[in-house]
Amino acid sequence: TNKVKIKQFGCPVGTLCTELAKLNHHAQNHANAVFTLFRTWLCKQFTQLGCKKHHADQLSMHLLARSQGVATLANAFNDDKFLQHEVTQLNKWLQAELTQG
């Protein structure tokens, strides 16, 4: 859905958190709260799909890490094919994780 913006700018939350961390800025914890909110939401989604809480959190962190990496590289290389391929791979990974339970 956000392909054009991701290719052009990367992830604004990831960029903000990275830059604040480099500066050891006092607002870093506030920026990280956005990732924490998304992590919590993802964890709830995985739990509702039948995953145990610990596994759901691991899946949430993996999905966040992978999507941040994809956003960063899609922005760096401005590559539509890479972005689409990675989205397809993420969808396959999610399907496999959910069928394993």
Side-chain angles (χ1 to χ4, degrees), residues 18-30:
T18 299
E19 293 304 316
L20 291 174
K22 289 177 188 177
L23 299 171
N24 198 21
H25 196 276
H26 69 276
Q28 181 180 356
N29 288 339
H30 294 295

Side-chain angles (χ1 to χ4, degrees), residues 27-99:
Q28 181 180 356
N29 288 339
H30 294 295
N32 290 351
V34 178
F35 275 137
T36 300
L37 181 65
F38 193 37
R39 177 184 184 178
T40 301
W41 180 83
L42 284 169
C43 190
K44 286 180 184 176
Q45 302 309 303
F46 283 121
T47 301
Q48 289 177 357
L49 290 168
C51 297
K52 294 185 178 177
K53 183 142 178 81
H54 177 71
H55 187 60
D57 189 54
Q58 288 176 333
L59 294 174
S60 300
M61 286 298 286
H62 180 74
L63 184 54
L64 279 171
R66 193 162 175 187
S67 63
Q68 283 301 299
V70 169
T72 299
L73 293 176
N75 174 248
F77 291 108
N78 193 26
D79 187 339
D80 278 332
K81 289 181 184 178
F82 167 76
L83 183 57
Q84 187 56 52
H85 178 265
E86 290 303 311
V87 168
T88 300
Q89 293 303 309
L90 273 171
N91 284 327
K92 288 179 182 179
W93 170 79
L94 279 169
Q95 287 298 322
E97 284 295 330
L98 296 177
T99 56

